[in-house]
Amino acid sequence: MGRSEKPLDPEAGPVQRFAHGLRELRRASGSPPYREMARRAGYSAPTLSSAATGDRLPSLPVTLAYVEACGGRPEDWEPRWRALAEELSARPAAQDAEEPAPYRGLARFDTEDGDLFFGRDELVEDLVGRVREHRFVALAGASGSGKSSLLRAGLVPALRNLGERDGRPAAIRICTPGQAPLRTHGALLEPVAGEADTVLVVDQFEEVFTLCQDPVQRGEFIDGLLTSRTATGSLLRVVIAVRADFYGRCADHHDLVQALNAATLLVGPMSPEQIREAIVKPATAGRLVVERTLTARILSDVAQEPGALPLMSHALLELWRRRRGRTLTLAAYEAIGGVQGAVAHTAEEVFTGFTAARTDLARALLLRLITPGEEAPDTRRPADRAELVRSEAAEEVLEALVRARLVTVDGTGVDLTHEALITAWPRLRTWVETDRERLRLQRRLTESAKEWEQLARDPGALYRGARLLAARDAFMGADGPSPELTPLEREFLTASIRSGRFVQPALVLVRRFVRSRWWPAFQLALLCAVVLWTVWFLNRDHP
């Protein structure tokens, strides 16, 4: 007789209850040894034994083989298995607060995540080599190709390890440009006493084009990257990451072109083997098992798909939340809609808990985090928390989006977790397309209001003419400015309208006069006056 099975509490959960049912079936059939059951079923004794441990839900074929080996009815057990599999797939697994997820979802891998960053070893080595050879290096690739993770979880740890090995550790600074790169990050370009070697990593360099609207500040920031020096007088080493669709914009700056021509590394799609590493190795580090059929399915869905890495990472995170025991399963993957559907599945789960009013708040909040493209792809737009949250309900909506990892909060700043959210979530994509022109007007209004505030509310910075008319039509109603505007934006628009009231009547009178029957006579009189003055001027010295 074999070893007795460990005790199992059927009240511990649905998987334990299912395993208890299998044990009861075996007991009712006379408790045949697992070796004998293996002979009948065609599966090994350890496989059949593990089906009744309660650690995880066994596969359907193993379950049915177990049932047949005990003389049970497979047609009774298959519906039970499928119902339990659906329940487990639809409900996230209980999270152990002390067990961190091995995947990062839509969020980038950060500098402390090097032990979970796999599949880019060759690219990291190549990038490190270029950084050692050149003082200015650019990393270019499509959105979703993993540039930010490559810099933070690949390059930065590698440079630190290299510095420790050589006994010459480099100071590493990291930033993203934002709306005012020179004002916000100018201090990073200044030398610091004691830092002989400094590497400045500029992630999402395309923000100098998408968020910074001041060409002078943009140019000065780029000049600073190219010419700044360390405390010892050597040039600052700089690594930038830029989206491939904005790479051409770099040609507007002559010196930047020369630097990019010397050392640019292009990030392409991962190979199937690299994708396999990115799937399996983090799971192994977390003592998890990935079903082989799941790995093959993800490889098939992701291979040669541009920009799919954040979607894959999000799907893997959702699979971890829905794991069966220590196993990531194909059944859960199909339940969340695969790589392409996982983001929408997560987002819609959040929105099903919102009332109509909170859905409107979430829509307004999310759209403020997007800059609609001008003959270019839409991009995310970091915003200050005060711009987004102006009520307790809006605060609760923001927290729900943060918990779902759809947006991230860093201090007072809020941002979409990844730009892939814009295209991968149909609801958000539809909102952007529906409100595209209104969003453009709102972005211009936001920037103009901030500039007006910075100029001590100078009346010369207020809207005039066509810009005022467009903003008034879009954001003014019978009860005043739209509530979707911030207090500063409402004040700016109201002040512009009041100022325009003194200008508009005069313009209306001029237009009416130009269109009247007196306009030709006025033109003729003006012409005669000019001719007479000219004749007088030419003959003023002749009596």
Side-chain angles (χ1 to χ4, degrees):
M1 188 171 179
R3 292 181 301 174
S4 60
E5 295 176 302
K6 66 178 182 180
L8 181 64
D9 180 8
E11 301 303 320
V15 173
Q16 290 78 8
R17 192 156 48 249
F18 187 85
H20 183 264
L22 291 176
R23 289 188 183 187
E24 288 298 307
L25 177 65
R26 176 170 174 256
R27 187 173 296 110
S29 66
S31 299
Y34 278 111
R35 190 181 301 275
E36 174 62 23
M37 290 175 58
R39 186 183 63 78
R40 300 176 191 171
Y43 282 88
S44 68
T47 298
L48 294 173
S49 174
S50 65
T53 60
D55 293 336
R56 62 187 179 94
L57 181 65
S59 68
L60 179 59
V62 169
T63 299
L64 298 183
Y66 189 108
V67 170
E68 288 183 346
C70 295
R73 290 165 49 88
E75 58 270 25
D76 293 339
W77 281 84
E78 181 172 351
R80 292 177 61 179
W81 185 94
R82 292 191 182 280
L84 179 54
E86 183 176 354
E87 176 186 349
L88 294 174
S89 298
R91 183 191 51 167
Q95 297 286 319
D96 184 348
E98 298 181 357
E99 181 182 3
Y103 304 105
R104 291 296 170 261
L106 290 174
R108 63 176 179 246
F109 285 83
D110 224 320
T111 53
E112 66 274 11
D113 296 326
D115 56 341
L116 297 175
F117 184 66
F118 295 100
R120 288 297 198 183
D121 293 348
E122 293 180 8
L123 199 56
V124 170
E125 184 178 351
D126 195 358
L127 182 57
V128 170
R130 298 196 185 211
V131 172
R132 299 187 74 180
E133 294 175 8
H134 304 274
R135 65 153 302 271
F136 194 99
V137 177
L139 192 66
S143 176
S145 60
K147 301 181 297 300
S148 295
S149 296
L150 181 63
L151 287 180
R152 296 168 184 265
L155 175 66
V156 171
L159 289 178
R160 286 173 177 167
N161 293 337
L162 190 62
E164 291 175 1
R165 190 186 68 191
D166 296 343
R168 295 183 301 171
I172 301 176
R173 308 169 182 173
I174 305 175
C175 72
T176 54
Q179 297 179 359
L182 192 62
R183 186 171 67 247
T184 307
H185 305 298
L188 298 180
L189 301 175
E190 299 296 328
V192 176
E195 292 185 358
D197 186 15
T198 303
V199 179
L200 175 59
V201 177
V202 184
D203 194 11
Q204 299 173 38
F205 182 75
E206 63 274 5
E207 288 186 357
V208 300
F209 307 113
T210 61
L211 298 182
C212 179
Q213 303 301 314
D214 183 354
V216 174
Q217 184 168 178
R218 179 189 306 141
E220 290 178 350
F221 178 70
I222 294 174
D223 287 339
L225 295 179
L226 296 170
T227 61
S228 293
R229 295 181 178 273
T230 65
T232 59
S234 60
L235 285 170
L236 182 72
R237 287 197 287 165
V238 177
V239 184
I240 69 171
V242 60
R243 266 176 46 176
D245 47 330
F246 286 93
Y247 188 75
R249 295 285 301 275
C250 298
D252 297 341
H253 196 289
H254 178 266
D255 293 337
L256 180 59
V257 170
Q258 291 184 320
L260 294 177
N261 286 338
T264 295
L265 183 62
L266 189 63
V267 181
M270 298 174 75
S271 68
E273 187 54 41
Q274 290 171 331
I275 295 173
R276 188 185 302 276
E277 287 186 16
I279 296 170
V280 175
K281 287 192 174 181
T284 302
R287 297 178 292 108
L288 299 166
V289 176
V290 182
E291 289 183 348
R292 291 185 180 180
T293 52
L294 171 60
T295 304
R297 176 68 174 276
I298 296 177
L299 281 171
S300 174
D301 290 347
V302 172
Q304 302 304 314
E305 184 73 23
L309 290 183
L311 303 182
M312 180 185 80
S313 184
H314 179 76
L316 288 168
L317 177 62
E318 289 302 303
L319 291 175
W320 178 80
R321 296 178 63 229
R322 290 164 169 78
R323 62 195 182 276
R324 284 209 317 254
R326 309 299 302 174
T327 304
L328 309 187
T329 68
L330 178 61
Y333 180 76
E334 292 176 340
I336 63 174
V339 165
Q340 295 297 331
V343 171
H345 184 275
T346 299
E348 292 301 329
E349 274 189 337
V350 176
F351 269 69
T352 54
F354 286 164
T355 63
R358 297 206 169 190
T359 297
D360 291 340
L361 285 173
R363 172 176 177 157
L365 188 154
L366 290 168
L367 289 179
R368 275 194 173 268
L369 297 176
I370 297 172
T371 297
E374 301 272 1
E375 297 183 357
D378 303 325
T379 56
R380 59 183 179 177
R381 169 188 173 265
D384 191 82
R385 191 183 191 113
E387 179 184 331
L388 305 173
V389 177
R390 298 187 294 278
S391 67
E392 184 178 342
E395 180 72 38
E396 293 173 357
V397 166
L398 175 61
E399 290 305 314
L401 296 175
V402 170
R403 285 195 301 271
R405 299 175 185 253
L406 300 176
V407 302
T408 56
V409 175
D410 183 10
T412 61
V414 183
D415 198 1
L416 290 181
T417 306
H418 199 280
E419 282 170 351
L421 189 66
I422 302 173
T423 55
W425 183 15
R427 184 196 292 258
L428 182 57
R429 187 170 66 245
T430 300
W431 286 344
V432 174
E433 290 302 328
T434 302
D435 288 353
R436 181 170 296 278
E437 189 54 40
R438 184 182 179 86
L439 287 176
R440 291 192 179 117
L441 291 173
Q442 189 180 62
R443 294 297 159 269
R444 297 183 192 122
L445 179 65
T446 301
E447 296 306 316
S448 297
K450 289 180 178 179
E451 183 179 0
W452 177 61
E453 181 74 7
Q454 291 167 2
L455 295 174
R457 306 201 169 196
D458 182 356
L462 294 171
Y463 271 177
R464 298 283 190 274
R467 297 175 72 186
L468 175 57
L469 292 175
R472 187 188 65 185
D473 292 344
F475 303 111
M476 285 296 291
D479 299 327
S482 170
E484 68 186 287
L485 300 182
T486 65
L488 176 61
E489 291 164 358
R490 290 198 292 268
E491 291 174 21
F492 172 78
L493 183 55
T494 301
S496 295
I497 292 173
R498 287 174 179 169
S499 175
R501 286 174 182 163
F502 297 100
V503 178
Q504 292 298 325
L507 292 176
V508 171
L509 290 175
V510 170
R511 291 194 189 101
R512 287 178 179 175
F513 179 70
V514 169
R515 294 169 184 168
S516 72
R517 59 191 176 92
W518 298 104
W519 177 242
F522 174 78
Q523 289 178 302
L524 180 59
L526 182 62
L527 178 61
C528 291
V530 172
V531 170
L532 290 173
W533 182 87
T534 303
V535 171
W536 171 82
F537 181 80
L538 294 175
N539 294 282
R540 69 186 187 282
D541 296 330
H542 301 283

